[in-house]
Amino acid sequence: MKSKAPSIPYLIWMLVFTIIPLAMVVYYAFTDRSGNFTLQSFADSLFYTDVFVRSLWIALLSTAICLLIAYPLSYIMSRAKASTRNVITMLIMLPMWMNFILRIYAWVLLLQNDGLVDLAVHLLGLDVPLLGNAGAVVLGMVYNFLPFMVLPIHSVMLKIDNRLVEAAQDLGAGKAKVFSKVIFPLSIPGIISGITMVFVPTASTFLVAQYLGGTGDKMIGDVIENIFQRDKNVGSAISLALMIIILVFIIIMNKFGDEEAAVA
Amino acid sequence: MKKLLCVALCGAIIASTTIVFAGCGSSTPKEEINVFNWGEYISNGEDGSLDTIGEFEKRYNIKVNYTNYESNEEMYNLLKESNSSYDVIIPSDYMISKLIEENMLEKIDFDNVPNSKNIMKRYQTTDFDPKGEYSVPYSWGVVALCYNKTMVKEKPTSFKSLWDKTYSGNILMFNNSRDAMAIAMKLKGITPTTVTKKDIDTATKYLSEQKPLLKKYVMDQVFTEMEGDQAALAPYYAGDIAVMMTNNDNLDYVLPEEGSNLFIDSMCIPKTTKHKELAEKFINYMLEAEVAKANAEYLGYSTPNQAAYDLLDDDIKNNKLIYPSDDYLNKCYTFANLPQDVYDYMQNEFLKVQS
């Protein structure tokens, strides 16, 4: 019989900081101010459907762009020399040592009128507002969450046994074939966890849209933050709805991942 | 070697947490009070200003636990729901009347606060505390219109300019329901002191018309926007406009002709206090002429303290943005507490305008 004692602190931690808060969110979502059962909070949250859709769309777009950037980069990194790889990993991690809000704020300064990026765009003869639109929000998200896509994909690719690649080559597979039949299928777990780690925070984050977006780019995280200060019930209902949407998304992703892995 | 380093690092991390916990356990023999105030709302010793808290601690050998909040609502929630016992809080007008109504404030024993004689007549009693029993004014100001002279050709006269299509995309608006709604209401002929849901609907409609013209809803971001010539017009608190104007010569201000919000933040003692007399001692200290003057200079807001006002430089005393004429102040309104359902309605409607 193995002792369960070592796991007790973790169980308590999870109970106190995950299970109980979650139960409280559920409780508040289904009750009114005086604690009676009601679905009114969910009815009230329906008003924010547009904001929901907008947030999920921005999250999806940001995740897709992160994947497009991160996948080739991870591939290159996994093929590179160990020293080069360490330098690149370091460079990707470096911005994360700075405060999140400072990084977003730096983008405000770069993109604003007569900011560095704005001036560069002007030199190219373009006159488009860079700040205060959905594009700027997506840019901020991609910038902030890119490391969460690169690192899982990279660590999975690194573990791919090079003998599998050699075996495929011995059997006559060209570069494209090796990639599509060996490397890509084996990297799917990394892609899945990368997508989850980027999509979930981008869908629920707040502040980024407040700083980089305009008046039409409010995201659901900002709405929840605002409502929670005065109305725990509606705030909880919206949070719960968001959690369920994200959960469904993760389940679909994992199903998809399992099937792909099975085919491979 | 690498393993060793790893173990050493882990050890350091664990050690640091135990130090933190050990720090919590150590007992301090000194008496303590908990002061809860707005962020950046007290002179703190920067740039040669008075270190208000440090000076108090030194003089009376009392430890001050000084914490901040960013909105009256945040303060209210913490006061109501956390177990901390706050001894002195500095909320705004309407929040004070709410706290009085909900029986959350102690009456101040003015025998322990002799310096309250320094408070100007105008602020000794207020709409939110008609007998002046629960609060001692700390700071006040009006909401004014800040504009950028290079972008706005004709000097504006009223908040109406915030709806002017000429400046579409260059207008900023309060990201705060009470202030934003009040501006809209006043322009629609409603006095925003207390309001009904119908008044809120009128303001909501007007604010929805404004939204397409706006660059952003802002609070603190107004500083970077206006100081960096990024926007043409913004309503904001007078003391902050004065700061922006010193940082950017292109900026100027207007006191809107229709009148504006006169806000007052006052020191109060919540019922949670465990050291009422120490709290009164702190309030009395804050009312000393030199201390109040240092805070007025640091904040850039207006002081209700006559003794402190007398010590200020003439160019501050004569600044009509900071100290508007009595005639103008008579045109201004203060906020009173709204019934909970009306205030909730206001905040929800404002959020809906933004969503």
Side-chain angles (χ1 to χ4, degrees), chain B residues 142-144 174 176 179 219 235-242 261 263 301:
Chain B
V142 294
V143 171
F174 274 116
N176 156 329
D179 285 321
M219 291 307 291
Y236 216 64
Y237 311 115
D240 295 322
I241 294 180
N261 172 220
F263 56 88
Y301 283 51

Side-chain angles (χ1 to χ4, degrees), chain B residues 101-234:
Chain B
E101 273 173 36
E102 297 184 11
N103 197 22
M104 287 169 73
L105 294 183
E106 291 277 355
K107 279 192 187 172
I108 295 170
D109 180 356
F110 281 92
D111 289 341
N112 293 333
V113 193
N115 287 335
S116 57
K117 66 175 192 308
N118 289 345
I119 296 294
M120 294 172 189
K121 193 123 212 124
R122 188 180 195 105
Y123 301 100
Q124 278 177 356
T125 57
T126 46
D127 287 344
F128 53 88
D129 183 8
K131 289 192 198 147
E133 295 171 303
Y134 297 94
S135 61
V136 185
Y138 174 63
S139 177
W140 63 275
V142 294
V143 171
L145 179 63
C146 181
Y147 69 100
N148 190 310
K149 286 178 282 189
T150 61
M151 297 180 189
V152 178
K153 291 286 161 282
E154 238 172 279
K155 187 179 165 100
T157 55
S158 133
F159 280 138
K160 205 140 198 152
S161 304
L162 297 169
W163 274 259
D164 188 338
K165 290 193 174 62
T166 328
Y167 307 116
S168 178
N170 280 315
I171 304 170
L172 303 174
M173 189 63 180
F174 274 116
N175 187 13
N176 156 329
S177 59
R178 194 88 199 248
D179 285 321
M181 290 265 177
I183 288 173
M185 283 175 187
K186 191 71 190 170
L187 287 171
K188 287 289 177 189
I190 302 163
T191 303
T193 305
T194 57
V195 295
T196 61
K197 289 189 179 176
K198 206 174 134 252
D199 297 334
I200 294 171
D201 290 337
T202 311
T204 304
K205 191 160 162 280
Y206 199 32
L207 290 172
S208 305
E209 290 167 24
Q210 183 197 32
K211 189 185 172 189
L213 307 176
L214 292 182
K215 176 165 196 228
K216 232 171 166 42
Y217 291 101
V218 292
M219 291 307 291
D220 285 347
Q221 289 177 57
V222 74
F223 288 96
T224 32
E225 292 284 343
M226 294 308 288
E227 288 175 1
D229 295 319
Q230 301 291 318
L233 291 158

